[in-house]
Amino acid sequence: MAKQKYYVVWEGKVPGIYKTWAECQAQTNGYPQARFKAYESEAEAKAAMSRGWKASFALANGSGGAAGASAAGRSGSAGSSGTSRGASKGGAQVAADLDSISVDVGSRGNPGIVEYKGVDTRTGQVIFQHPPIAKGTNNLGEFLAIVHGLAYLKQQGSSKTIYSDSVTAISWVRKKAVATNLPRDGSTKEIWTLVDRALAWLHNNSYSNKIIKWDTKAWGEIKADYGRK
């Protein structure tokens, strides 16, 4: 029989101490910057509630972790709503920002056929997509998806966040440069034309949108996933 856990919700719809993960989720899913954590005993939970989340997470980090795992860590998912720059910050487990765009690439081979799309993170509705490109790489496809998202949001006058599960592509966007071994030849002309256009856009435009790494371990597959793994 599983041991009873106590879930402290410092910042949520109704802050308090809850005895089930489902109750904790109900208070934190969809709540911006939700702060919550699981404890092994009611006494620990009450003490943590009184300390506040900042002191509690600082204590956990300093002692190698508080008793019990974070609620989201226990479940394997931070849920599908809320706001965050990542799965955890200062020991706090928070959820993804649903008022955002998520992008991903679909490929057949690497190098191989590449396509990408951007979707509404909340609903999964496709906002934009590019048809299959004859030959490219996953990273170049991810890069194009992010820049396409930035250009789209700029056109809309939107400051929404963009999520990508590619660390490499995010790095390329920030550096305004790509580093790939894909040769420039007749078979790759299509994708290189798109990449050069994307690089030119980055050098000629500014944006305030956050580009954040999607935490697959905490939140599950990115909403734009093609399901080809």
Side-chain angles (χ1 to χ4, degrees):
M1 183 175 179
K3 188 176 180 179
Q4 173 71 55
K5 287 186 181 292
Y6 296 84
Y7 301 89
V8 177
V9 177
W10 291 277
E11 295 185 18
K13 297 170 185 175
V14 181
I17 298 173
Y18 296 88
K19 294 183 179 181
T20 68
W21 168 235
E23 290 175 315
C24 178
Q25 279 189 310
Q27 300 306 321
T28 57
N29 281 357
Y31 189 90
Q33 297 295 343
R35 308 288 183 179
F36 55 98
K37 193 171 181 64
Y39 289 87
E40 298 289 344
S41 71
E42 187 173 14
E44 288 177 306
K46 287 181 176 179
M49 188 73 191
S50 297
R51 281 194 304 267
W53 70 265
K54 289 184 180 179
S56 294
F57 294 136
L59 179 63
N61 289 339
S63 62
S70 69
R74 175 187 176 280
S75 73
S77 172
S80 59
S81 51
T83 312
S84 173
R85 288 176 179 264
S88 61
K89 182 177 180 181
Q93 188 70 46
V94 289
D97 177 4
L98 291 189
D99 189 24
S100 61
I101 287 180
S102 293
V103 301
D104 200 14
V105 66
S107 60
R108 298 178 181 86
N110 192 28
I113 298 173
V114 171
E115 59 187 310
Y116 67 80
K117 62 183 175 181
V119 308
D120 182 297
T121 306
R122 186 183 302 279
T123 66
Q125 179 180 0
V126 176
I127 298 172
F128 60 81
Q129 58 185 340
H130 196 285
I133 301 164
K135 187 177 180 181
T137 67
N138 289 340
N139 285 332
L140 287 177
E142 298 274 12
F143 169 78
L144 290 173
I146 296 173
V147 179
H148 192 144
L150 289 172
Y152 169 82
L153 291 173
K154 187 177 182 69
Q155 186 178 47
Q156 298 295 312
S158 172
S159 59
K160 286 185 178 181
T161 291
I162 294 178
Y163 283 107
S164 168
D165 59 10
S166 173
V167 173
T168 298
I170 292 173
S171 172
W172 288 354
V173 171
R174 289 173 177 164
K175 294 176 181 177
K176 301 180 182 181
V178 300
T180 176
N181 293 323
L182 187 72
R184 288 179 179 264
D185 57 31
S187 68
T188 60
K189 181 179 179 180
E190 182 180 10
I191 197 163
W192 272 114
T193 297
L194 294 171
V195 169
D196 288 341
R197 186 184 305 166
L199 289 170
W201 188 92
L202 288 174
H203 283 285
N204 291 307
N205 290 272
S206 61
Y207 58 87
S208 61
N209 311 80
K210 298 173 184 175
I211 305 171
I212 298 175
K213 169 68 171 64
W214 181 265
D215 194 314
T216 304
K217 182 177 180 181
W219 304 329
E221 293 296 341
I222 194 166
K223 301 302 181 180
D225 183 57
Y226 279 82
R228 296 176 182 171
K229 296 179 178 60

